[in-house]
Amino acid sequence: MFRSPERTRRGLVAVALVTGLVAGAGPVAWAEPDPPGDAIGAVEDLILPVEDILAEVESLDGSESESKQGETVTVALTSDVLFALDSATLAARATTRLRKVAGKVMAESAGGLVKIVGHTDDQGADAYNDRLSLRRAQAVQKALERALAGRNVTFQATGLGERRPRVPNVIDGRPVEENRARNRRVEIVFTAR
């Protein structure tokens, strides 16, 4: 890459100032140097890709989070607020949370497909976790279908078991219960208007 005369001159001035200050000398007076003849050339533009910004908001207790990437909105609810341990039956307190999510879908969704994805932690057999995460996603789907009846929305429930953890279940060979709790979740994914 070649430098322009102006950039070279600024670089030399900066080096001279730093060298003078480090050496303990006072202010330096000099004429601006002429750059060497071979220092003149084209300056190339740097072109860097711009990544999508992922905005995420999490409740203080960590039981609910919302993220938006482009037009895709993901609302995640930890399974601990939706279900009892090893259960796919919605707890009584889950109704309030799911009504809020349904209101968000009504207010912000462009309609179309709403994906409901169940996740587990790393405890238990893969086949068991796959079935449990699917049954939990289906239970949330049924509740949202009732809350969003008559809307231009279709649902798709999927269970991914432990395949996509948000955070590591085990760190330095030791299980981290707080992380496992965050990984046990159901995500509601829709496209915003």
Side-chain angles (χ1 to χ4, degrees):
M1 182 161 101
F2 300 101
R3 295 184 181 260
S4 69
E6 180 60 31
R7 287 182 67 188
T8 301
R9 189 176 8 259
R10 279 186 278 172
L12 291 172
V13 168
V15 169
L17 282 172
V18 169
T19 305
L21 293 174
V22 170
V28 179
W30 67 85
E32 287 195 30
D34 289 326
D38 63 349
I40 298 173
V43 175
E44 296 180 25
D45 289 334
L46 293 176
I47 300 173
L48 301 172
V50 176
E51 300 286 328
D52 282 342
I53 295 174
L54 176 62
E56 184 169 7
V57 177
E58 187 171 297
S59 64
L60 290 176
D61 65 358
S63 65
E64 184 173 341
S65 67
E66 179 182 334
S67 62
K68 185 171 184 182
Q69 186 171 18
E71 300 303 313
T72 303
V73 176
T74 302
V75 177
L77 301 170
T78 60
S79 294
D80 299 348
V81 299
L82 297 174
F83 306 98
L85 184 64
D86 281 335
S87 172
T89 303
L90 287 169
R93 64 183 179 204
T95 305
T96 304
R97 293 279 178 118
L98 291 175
R99 267 195 234 124
K100 281 196 225 175
V101 173
K104 179 171 240 0
V105 172
M106 278 191 271
E108 298 177 20
S109 174
L113 183 64
V114 174
K115 295 179 185 178
I116 302 158
V117 186
H119 301 271
T120 65
D121 61 22
D122 63 335
Q123 299 178 89
D126 289 345
Y128 178 81
N129 284 336
D130 287 345
R131 285 190 307 274
L132 178 61
S133 62
L134 176 60
R135 289 193 340 260
R136 286 180 168 181
Q138 290 168 335
V140 169
Q141 175 182 336
K142 286 178 186 172
L144 289 176
E145 282 175 341
R146 284 190 298 273
L148 294 169
R151 304 286 179 183
N152 184 25
V153 176
T154 56
F155 295 93
Q156 176 187 31
T158 308
L160 295 179
E162 64 182 84
R163 287 189 289 283
R164 289 196 194 153
R166 291 183 78 176
V167 290
N169 288 295
V170 177
I171 297 176
D172 294 330
R174 285 186 259 151
V176 180
E177 281 309 313
E178 297 83 21
N179 288 1
R180 283 179 165 167
R182 289 185 69 199
N183 290 331
R184 293 187 301 265
R185 68 198 187 279
V186 176
E187 296 175 335
I188 297 94
V189 183
F190 63 90
T191 302
R193 289 186 204 144

